[in-house]
Amino acid sequence: MKRIAIVGGGIAGLSAAYQLEKQHRAGADLEFVLFERAERLGGVLVTDHIDGCIVEAGPDSFITEKPWATALARELGLGDQIIGSNDSDRKTFIVIRDRLVELPDGLMFMVPTKILPTLLSPLFSLRTKLRMATEFMHPPHKIEGDESVAAMVQRHFGEEMVDRLADPLLSGIYGGECRDLSVRAVLPRFVEMEQKHGSLTRAMMAARKRMAEMSKGKPKPPLFSSMKDGMQQLVDALVATIDPRAIRTGVEIESVCRAGVEPGLGCLEQSDRPWQVKKYDGTRESFDAVILAAPAHVMSRLLEMAHAELAFELGAIKYSSSITCNLIYDRKEVAGKDRGFGFLVPRSENRRMLACTFVHNKFPHRAPADKAIVRAFLGGAGDEAVMDWSDEQIVSAVQRDLREIAGITANPRTIRVYRWRSCMAQPSPGHLERIARIEVQRQRLSGLALAGNAFHGIGVPDCVRTGTQAAEQVGLPQTIPAPAPAR
Ligand SMILES: Cc1cc2nc3c(=O)[nH]c(=O)nc-3n(C[C@H](O)[C@H](O)[C@H](O)COP(=O)(O)OP(=O)(O)OC[C@H]3O[C@@H](n4cnc5c(N)ncnc54)[C@H](O)[C@@H]3O)c2cc1C
């Protein structure tokens, strides 16, 4: 029987476990054990129920366009629990000199596709508007190698666009600075568009037209999807399918190495010796294969003794930390001040808050009619220092920002602060080349698979996909078609 270890019980590790469980139930001769350092499973997916509100500590939704999380939820029997964002109220604001300025209509990510709303918007200076007009004439352009998102956006639209849109939009997703994010990893479509059309505006306008034709007569899918009772619902449904004997929570893994190989002498590539998984209590267990589904800096530490080169490449992937601060108000106290889905704060505003979501507008059923949930996002690559602040300091900074930006002066009924240290991978320029090197090294180590947010996307759907693929890499071919495990 093939024995497989999974290290890490976040959504990536659980997705891998689910696939292995399916293979096992379909008759594959394998068993697996999932090791999770924490006492609970789910990693950064945590939902709390407070004062009748559904409060997300980590991710609150996922992009509908990426199908893997939705497909998983459906397979788990949660199809009727998938909800869409309330796009009829989807307005986003940017803070410019302490005032909220609405994103103009027709902006696709940061590319304008409607001339009049962009021309009339106070979001951009005359200089940037002129830059947008000349961008229309950009000839096709091929960049050798990679560059930062900031470099590409700057080349097309100028510095103001980097500060006011590109950076705040991406810091809301990666907690990262767009000067340090790889354009090829983060915005591959922009790279293709630049090569083919030159002007991003022209390319986006054409894409918009194509999309409109294709979706004629069809209902528009929501931009974001989530689970009715919170993201934890996905975790709970996954866990319910897995044999409890295969799950070991509260167990931290210290290293992963081939049996019989002296520490520091490297892993025997293509060796058929078993893998040894060493726990922090000093005990070891043997497995035929290992799936690592922890952050890349943890994988690097685990593989240090086994494969220095692979450990180095994994350790070179940077991570950022973040904080979500959820405040529950009486709805009447914030009425009129809670505009749209919320706002983003450019770095040049010199505030602690990076972004703020009015959850009750984005996903109305998450708060009863008389409550409002305000979710602030802090930290990121540019502000690691805030991670060491006390809850009181964080809440005081958030309340000051809410007062000065949105005019919210009321005291919240309930506050929850959640810290996420080194949890968000930062694909910096050269990321895809690094991932390709990692993949070559991984393939030389038979029985090793890697999953999680360090590789091909940081979002929940991307992590589901990497977990599924990792199980396919080290699992066994199914002998009969696999039904979804009963819940
Ligand atoms: C605040 C925040 C908001 C986000 N918002 C969104 C969003 O709205 N939409 C979206 O799509 N994505 C969002 N993301 C990103 C997304 O949630 C994550 O990238 C994804 O959930 C990561 O899943 P994972 O399984 O790879 O890692 P994790 O969830 O980090 O899980 C890794 C697990 O490994 C365990 N572990 C670590 N070391 C060891 C060890 N040595 N031994 C055993 N176990 C170990 C950890 O305890 C953890 O449980 C957000 C992330 C954060 C932090």
Side-chain angles (χ1 to χ4, degrees):
M1 175 178 291
K2 186 170 191 178
R3 294 195 78 226
I4 302 169
I6 303 170
V7 181
I11 190 72
L14 288 173
S15 300
Y18 172 67
Q19 295 304 328
L20 292 180
E21 180 77 37
K22 275 203 302 185
Q23 290 185 13
H24 171 70
R25 291 184 191 212
D29 191 21
L30 63 80
E31 66 173 24
F32 68 93
V33 180
L34 184 151
F35 296 102
E36 166 54 51
R37 177 178 63 183
E39 293 299 337
R40 63 169 289 281
L41 292 160
V44 302
L45 271 69
V46 181
T47 306
D48 281 329
H49 292 82
I50 305 164
D51 285 351
C53 295
I54 297 169
V55 173
E56 297 288 9
D60 71 345
S61 55
F62 44 87
I63 295 182
T64 309
E65 205 187 358
K66 294 192 172 189
W68 307 289
T70 315
L72 176 66
R74 291 218 173 94
E75 199 179 311
L76 290 165
L78 294 176
D80 61 344
Q81 298 294 301
I82 301 170
I83 52 163
S85 48
N86 175 29
D87 288 355
S88 62
D89 206 11
R90 181 153 63 89
K91 286 189 188 130
T92 304
F93 295 80
I94 304 283
V95 180
I96 305 292
R97 290 186 208 94
D98 297 344
R99 293 192 178 285
L100 292 172
V101 176
E102 190 179 337
L103 284 184
D105 187 25
L107 213 60
M108 285 175 81
F109 202 53
M110 65 199 84
V111 180
T113 61
K114 287 190 183 171
I115 296 167
L116 199 61
T118 311
L119 267 182
L120 296 177
S121 170
L123 183 58
F124 308 112
S125 65
L126 185 59
R127 193 187 160 97
T128 301
K129 288 175 186 169
L130 288 172
R131 206 52 210 262
M132 289 172 174
T134 56
E135 202 273 340
F136 212 75
M137 310 298 166
H138 266 231
H141 182 75
K142 190 171 187 322
I143 284 278
E144 289 307 323
D146 200 1
E147 63 178 339
S148 71
V149 172
M152 178 190 256
V153 174
Q154 213 277 341
R155 195 167 58 247
H156 283 260
F157 300 110
E159 191 53 39
E160 192 178 75
M161 185 67 104
V162 174
D163 174 59
R164 294 194 174 173
L165 267 189
D167 203 44
L169 282 170
L170 289 174
S171 74
I173 301 170
Y174 289 88
E177 299 193 27
C178 78
R179 282 173 215 295
D180 203 20
L181 290 174
S182 151
V183 74
R184 287 187 54 211
V186 170
L187 297 173
R189 275 181 66 200
F190 275 29
V191 178
E192 277 169 35
M193 285 194 260
E194 188 181 52
Q195 281 178 12
K196 199 166 159 205
H197 300 267
S199 162
L200 299 178
T201 311
R202 258 189 297 131
M204 275 294 196
M205 281 177 161
R208 193 187 171 94
K209 209 169 146 204
R210 262 197 322 274
M211 270 157 39
E213 276 162 15
M214 273 162 52
S215 57
K216 227 177 215 165
K218 293 183 201 152
K220 211 172 160 199
L223 186 59
F224 302 104
S225 297
S226 192
M227 306 308 299
K228 210 172 203 170
D229 202 32
M231 296 292 285
Q232 174 92 36
Q233 223 180 336
L234 201 52
V235 171
D236 294 343
L238 276 169
V239 174
T241 65
I242 300 166
D243 184 340
R245 288 169 300 182
I247 294 177
R248 309 233 193 112
T249 50
V251 179
E252 185 167 4
I253 301 306
E254 187 185 328
S255 68
V256 166
C257 201
R258 289 272 196 218
V261 177
E262 287 300 309
L265 291 183
C267 245
L268 297 183
E269 292 184 353
Q270 296 300 354
S271 157
D272 49 11
R273 291 190 197 187
W275 287 90
Q276 288 238 309
V277 172
K278 184 177 172 203
K279 297 164 221 158
Y280 265 94
D281 66 8
T283 56
R284 292 165 202 260
E285 256 183 79
S286 282
F287 292 91
D288 302 298
V290 179
I291 296 173
L292 298 184
H297 51 90
V298 175
M299 295 185 196
S300 167
R301 241 187 12 250
L302 296 178
L303 291 169
E304 220 163 44
M305 294 295 191
H307 201 290
E309 218 181 318
L310 179 54
F312 171 81
E313 293 287 7
L314 287 164
I317 299 172
K318 290 187 205 160
Y319 270 71
S320 73
S321 305
S322 56
I323 291 171
T324 60
C325 178
N326 289 267
L327 305 100
I328 300 176
Y329 291 90
D330 282 331
R331 180 90 56 121
K332 59 182 180 322
E333 308 246 48
V334 298
K337 297 164 185 164
D338 54 344
R339 295 161 73 195
F341 277 15
F343 57 83
L344 302 168
V345 190
R347 245 164 264 276
S348 55
E349 292 292 309
N350 287 319
R351 292 195 173 273
R352 234 60 217 212
M353 207 192 277
L354 294 172
C356 170
T357 307
F358 297 121
V359 178
H360 52 287
N361 290 341
K362 188 174 174 184
F363 293 110
H365 76 285
R366 286 208 167 150
D370 60 338
K371 305 259 171 47
I373 312 172
V374 179
R375 174 174 140 114
F377 191 72
L378 293 84
D383 191 11
E384 282 287 329
V386 77
M387 296 307 294
D388 295 323
W389 282 18
S390 66
D391 283 9
E392 290 70 28
Q393 285 173 301
I394 291 165
V395 172
S396 151
V398 167
Q399 286 195 277
R400 187 180 55 240
D401 285 353
L402 285 174
R403 190 173 60 242
E404 293 175 2
I405 295 169
I408 296 176
T409 51
N411 280 323
R413 297 166 61 103
T414 312
I415 301 169
R416 285 287 188 284
V417 177
Y418 305 90
R419 288 175 177 73
W420 300 110
R421 279 187 197 274
S422 302
C423 282
M424 295 173 102
Q426 306 289 294
S428 47
H431 182 77
L432 295 184
E433 288 79 2
R434 168 162 290 122
I435 298 306
R437 290 195 296 276
I438 288 174
E439 182 55 17
V440 168
Q441 289 158 2
R442 183 199 71 77
Q443 283 183 13
R444 287 201 196 120
L445 295 169
S446 61
L448 179 69
L450 309 172
N453 69 14
F455 304 104
H456 295 285
I458 193 178
V460 170
D462 305 299
C463 294
V464 169
R465 181 170 59 141
T466 59
T468 305
Q469 283 171 347
E472 283 160 5
Q473 283 161 2
V474 300
L476 289 173
Q478 291 161 18
T479 48
I480 50 169
R487 290 188 52 209

